[in-house]
Amino acid sequence: MSIGTVQDLARALRDGRRDPVDLVAEVFDRIDRHNDPALFIRTLRPRAEAEARASRERLRAGNPASLVDGVPLAWKDLFDLKGSVTTAGSAVLRDAAPAAADGALVNAAMRAGMVSVGAVNMTEFAYSGIGLNPHYGTPRNPCDPKVARSPGGSSSGSGAVVAAGIVPVSIGTDTGGSIRIPAAFNGVVGYKTSTGHYPMQGVFPLSRTLDTLGPLAQSVADCVLTDAALRGLAGPLVAAAPLEALDFVVPDSFMFDDLAPAVAANFDAAVARLAKAGARVRAIALAELHEVSALMGRYGPLTSAEAMDVHKERLAGPDAARIDPRVVRRIRMAEAMSAVDLIRLTEGRREWIARMNARLGNAILICPTTPSVAMPIAPLEADVEVFFHHNFRTLRNTAIGNFLDWCGMSIPNGTDNDGMPTGFMMCAPHCSQEDKDHG
């Protein structure tokens, strides 16, 4: 049973039916009972208990810091948490200096009264859609109690900790699908913002151009409420639109190639439900996505180029042997890129963002989040080429949204015959700069 949703817990805390201190004790009891040593890289019980006591005082005084005062959350271990080492899932950073201050978004959560319970595990340096970690272990996907399956990456712990019902929300990062893939694989909701939506200070980078942040939670409403709190708003500024006012488009593109039968069937069923409920759903020819994909393939991965900038000295020295070789291989793809390649890639990206924004307008593109459900881990660990095949396939539908700076959300839309979740993804063009400046 889940600890509850952000909405329900927030309401119960404000009404006095739940107590923040008791809630934190329940979270740590759930962590112990879940018994997955790979889920958290570190827990922060003293900090969480102190924040819960402060929340209790505010709530009893009738002066909550926000609508979510007292709600517990976990952070992907890319976010600086004062006094703790930010490992980025890597052994080479295990003995680094502790963070001198909270990251900007962690500080925003603290101002909202949310309670930070710890840093959850992730793919090393956030560079994989599968979620394996040879240093801290790979978190269990809670949806299969018998077979160890991929939790998705790179925000593996964020997806698993919410799916396990330990906390109602965890904050992840997304550079090529790293929020939406764990959401789909673990059967939760994942919201990837577009760039500029949240401050990036105090977040260990993978690709400074493509990195985005966002919540993984039990519902869309929970993501909306958490987002408002993290942005310092008194409450959400958005409201549910009538379905009749929404325009959903289904592209005729590679996003539907080689789908697992359950993924295809559950997507079709979700589309049918939308149409029956009154939404406009239309198929469109979108050859532009093929052209964008070809551009990405022609000049090389932008993520690798920017990751090489971050890790060049590590990969040139003895630390390279201490890094997951699958991660090293992906970063070193940048070595085949020239300066001209990088310029043409970034200029092409800028042009395609403008073209695709104009092409979609206010329409919402929908597709399966991933072509398959979470796969068993053993074959991925046994054969590196099997790993890279599944990693590339898993990132296929999500990564193009990062390249085009779309916002995106993965929502559970069913399961396969083994009970493994499938995900339904919605994508939309990023806001104008004027909209970003006004929040």
Side-chain angles (χ1 to χ4, degrees):
M1 181 181 294
S2 169
I3 195 169
T5 67
V6 173
Q7 274 195 316
D8 289 345
L9 288 175
R11 190 177 300 112
L13 287 162
R14 292 195 306 274
D15 293 348
R17 291 179 285 113
R18 297 296 302 264
D19 178 271
V21 175
D22 294 341
L23 188 54
V24 161
E26 181 182 341
V27 168
F28 284 97
D29 180 61
R30 285 173 175 269
I31 293 171
D32 290 341
R33 285 189 283 112
H34 186 63
N35 193 29
D36 181 1
L39 184 56
F40 280 84
I41 289 182
R42 89 190 57 81
T43 55
L44 302 172
R45 188 159 194 161
R47 172 177 178 151
E49 289 174 341
E51 291 179 347
R53 288 192 295 270
S55 175
R56 172 195 273 173
E57 292 180 10
R58 289 190 298 269
L59 290 167
R60 287 182 174 177
N63 188 31
S66 76
L67 292 177
V68 294
D69 199 341
V71 172
L73 81 166
W75 298 90
K76 183 178 184 178
D77 199 28
L78 288 178
F79 292 87
D80 283 349
L81 293 156
K82 184 178 180 181
S84 296
V85 175
T86 307
T87 73
S90 179
V92 302
L93 297 181
R94 198 192 306 263
D95 299 320
D102 285 332
L105 203 62
V106 176
N107 192 46
M110 188 171 67
R111 290 196 303 270
M114 302 187 81
V115 177
S116 296
V117 302
V120 286
N121 202 350
M122 54 176 286
T123 304
E124 186 171 15
F125 295 133
Y127 210 3
S128 156
I130 300 296
L132 306 187
N133 189 307
H135 312 298
Y136 300 96
T138 299
R140 295 198 309 266
N141 186 317
C143 300
D144 193 333
K146 297 179 181 178
V147 178
R149 290 181 182 258
S150 165
S154 63
S155 306
S156 55
S158 291
V161 76
V162 173
I166 293 171
V167 292
V169 61
S170 181
I171 310 302
T173 69
D174 193 311
T175 308
S178 290
I179 287 172
R180 292 157 291 160
I181 293 167
F185 278 9
N186 290 280
V188 300
V189 175
Y191 169 41
K192 170 225 175 301
T193 62
S194 42
T195 55
H197 188 79
Y198 294 126
M200 300 300 295
Q201 294 90 344
V203 182
F204 192 95
L206 172 60
S207 166
R208 290 183 174 89
T209 297
L210 302 178
D211 291 345
T212 58
L213 316 177
L216 295 91
Q218 294 287 352
S219 70
V220 174
D222 279 2
C223 289
V224 170
L225 188 56
T226 301
D227 173 70
L230 293 176
R231 295 166 65 201
L233 304 175
L237 297 179
V238 297
L243 275 174
E244 298 80 7
L246 299 179
D247 181 17
F248 295 99
V249 296
V250 182
D252 66 334
S253 73
F254 55 82
M255 291 178 164
F256 293 87
D257 293 344
D258 191 27
L259 297 182
V263 173
N266 290 345
F267 179 80
D268 290 344
V271 169
R273 289 194 297 272
L274 282 173
K276 185 177 180 180
R280 182 187 184 196
V281 184
R282 55 194 172 96
I284 62 170
L286 206 59
E288 293 93 334
L289 291 183
H290 292 276
E291 296 180 54
V292 174
S293 181
L295 174 75
M296 295 165 68
R298 183 179 311 126
Y299 296 116
L302 179 57
T303 303
S304 294
E306 294 193 329
M308 179 61 83
D309 177 54
V310 174
H311 298 289
K312 184 175 176 59
E313 286 72 25
R314 290 189 183 95
L315 296 191
D319 277 347
R322 301 171 59 204
I323 300 172
D324 183 345
R326 293 165 294 208
V327 172
V328 171
R329 175 170 157 176
R330 294 193 74 198
I331 295 174
R332 283 190 166 147
M333 292 173 70
E335 294 173 346
M337 298 174 66
S338 69
V340 173
D341 290 335
L342 186 58
I343 290 170
R344 290 181 177 175
L345 183 64
T346 53
E347 287 183 348
R349 177 177 185 260
R350 198 159 40 242
E351 292 170 4
W352 272 110
I353 287 173
R355 289 177 65 178
M356 291 303 294
N357 286 359
R359 177 75 171 88
L360 288 179
N362 291 323
I364 300 169
L365 183 145
I366 55 176
C367 66
T369 308
T370 58
S372 70
V373 299
M375 61 289 296
I377 287 173
L380 303 171
E381 292 184 326
D383 189 325
V384 69
E385 297 307 325
V386 170
F387 168 86
F388 277 104
H389 167 77
H390 282 286
N391 187 61
F392 180 79
R393 182 169 177 252
T394 298
L395 290 161
R396 183 191 69 196
N397 288 4
T398 55
I400 201 162
N402 297 82
F403 190 79
L404 294 170
D405 201 17
W406 289 345
C407 57
M409 178 171 280
S410 179
I411 300 173
N413 67 330
T415 60
D416 69 2
N417 291 335
D418 295 321
M420 296 307 297
T422 60
F424 176 94
M425 185 164 65
M426 297 186 292
C427 308
H430 67 178
C431 296
S432 67
Q433 188 58 50
E434 180 181 3
D435 290 337
K436 288 182 180 181
D437 292 343
H438 290 83

